[in-house]
Amino acid sequence: MSALDRFRLDGRTAILTGVGPGVGEHVAKAYAELGANVVISARSQDKLDRIAAEINALDGGRARAVAVDAGERTALQRLVDAAHEHFGPIHIVFNNAAAGVVYARDGGLWANTDDVWKTALDVNLMATWRLAEMTTDDMQAHGKGSIISVQSCGGFTPIPPAVAYGVSKAALAFLTRSLAKALAPHTRVNALCVGSMSPDGQEAEIHKGLGLAERNAIKRFGAADEAVGAAILLAGDGSSYTTGSTVFTEGGRVGTIS
């Protein structure tokens, strides 16, 4: 196998959650460009339809859009069923859906209500667990499974008042290692920790005043497509001996914190 062939995804089917403008869209398009069938999901059907149409317009592009709430088990099962119906066995799961962030403007620490905690845990943690359970038979059968969950700097360094979000992401790190151990050798399970990113690399209005760019070594916001290389690496044979790991694309924020 040539070096570049290790990054091809021909004939493999990938499910991606949380696909919208940003990391999810760029990764979905990259997987499709590398030969994968992609089943994209989020809560907004309009955004999904636009992304799926752009993928299907590419030479050889194959995409299906399924609007689901990643925090609901029945919705995730519908997503998996749609992938099976259109493309067959599933090879890759890219868990990008996220929820439960609380900002100071929302009322501070105690704005982490029971509902916020439930949403954060269901979307940020349990969706990975549920999709792993729903796809494990496929991955065990073909032996090329890859589960990738998008981590956050907030799962490594506290960013109050987003406590529910941070705790759910910290738990995701341990779930990643636990599933990596339990599902080997037929499925590799890794995390991709993204930092301060936006679709165009510019600081979003909601982030202003938080000093996120200043906290990392590179001293700028990342553009969403800067996470694509790591997402490609973890999906296919280029990382065939990598599991239970976290790849950081956060400008050095976690790795250089002092």
Side-chain angles (χ1 to χ4, degrees):
M1 182 183 297
S2 73
L4 292 180
D5 283 344
R6 292 184 180 277
F7 299 94
R8 295 291 309 177
L9 300 173
D10 299 289
R12 302 189 193 188
T13 295
I15 285 177
L16 300 93
T17 66
V19 175
V23 172
E25 176 175 352
H26 286 289
V27 172
K29 289 179 175 178
Y31 285 176
E33 185 178 344
L34 291 170
N37 312 307
V38 296
V39 182
I40 59 174
S41 67
R43 290 182 294 176
S44 173
Q45 187 69 56
D46 289 344
K47 292 178 182 177
L48 291 172
D49 288 342
R50 189 262 303 168
I51 296 168
E54 291 177 3
I55 292 173
N56 287 324
L58 300 173
D59 183 24
R62 294 175 300 278
R64 291 284 178 170
V66 185
V68 302
D69 183 339
E72 298 179 0
R73 184 181 183 90
T74 55
L76 293 175
Q77 186 63 63
R78 181 160 51 86
L79 175 62
V80 171
D81 291 344
H84 282 149
E85 178 184 352
H86 293 295
F87 297 124
I90 296 156
H91 298 75
I92 302 159
V93 176
F94 188 81
N95 296 291
N96 188 53
V101 178
V102 168
Y103 295 93
R105 70 180 190 186
D106 299 325
L109 182 66
W110 306 116
N112 290 277
T113 63
D114 285 3
D115 285 343
V116 171
W117 275 99
K118 183 178 186 307
T119 298
L121 291 168
D122 276 343
V123 175
N124 303 337
L125 181 68
M126 291 304 297
T128 291
W129 171 263
R130 290 164 178 160
L131 284 173
E133 179 184 4
M134 293 173 186
T135 60
T136 192
D137 287 346
D138 284 354
M139 295 185 180
Q140 186 166 12
H142 56 60
K144 290 184 175 293
S146 176
I147 297 173
I148 306 157
S149 294
V150 175
Q151 258 289 2
S152 166
C153 297
F156 295 90
T157 57
I159 47 172
V163 175
Y165 176 81
V167 170
S168 66
K169 288 294 190 177
L172 180 60
F174 195 81
L175 178 61
T176 295
R177 296 195 296 273
S178 298
L179 288 175
K181 186 75 169 179
L183 300 181
H186 57 78
T187 304
R188 297 179 299 103
V189 187
N190 294 288
L192 172 58
C193 181
V194 302
S196 305
M197 286 184 168
S198 65
D200 60 2
Q202 300 301 308
E203 186 176 27
E205 192 65 33
I206 199 170
H207 293 138
K208 289 182 177 177
L210 299 178
L212 295 179
E214 288 72 25
R215 295 182 189 181
N216 65 42
I218 295 181
K219 303 296 184 186
R220 64 170 174 82
F221 261 66
D225 62 356
E226 291 183 286
V228 168
I232 292 171
L233 170 68
L234 293 175
D237 296 336
S239 57
S240 57
Y241 201 55
T242 302
T243 196
S245 297
T246 299
V247 175
F248 291 87
T249 58
E250 34 57 277
R253 178 170 154 194
V254 173
T256 63
I257 193 168
S258 60

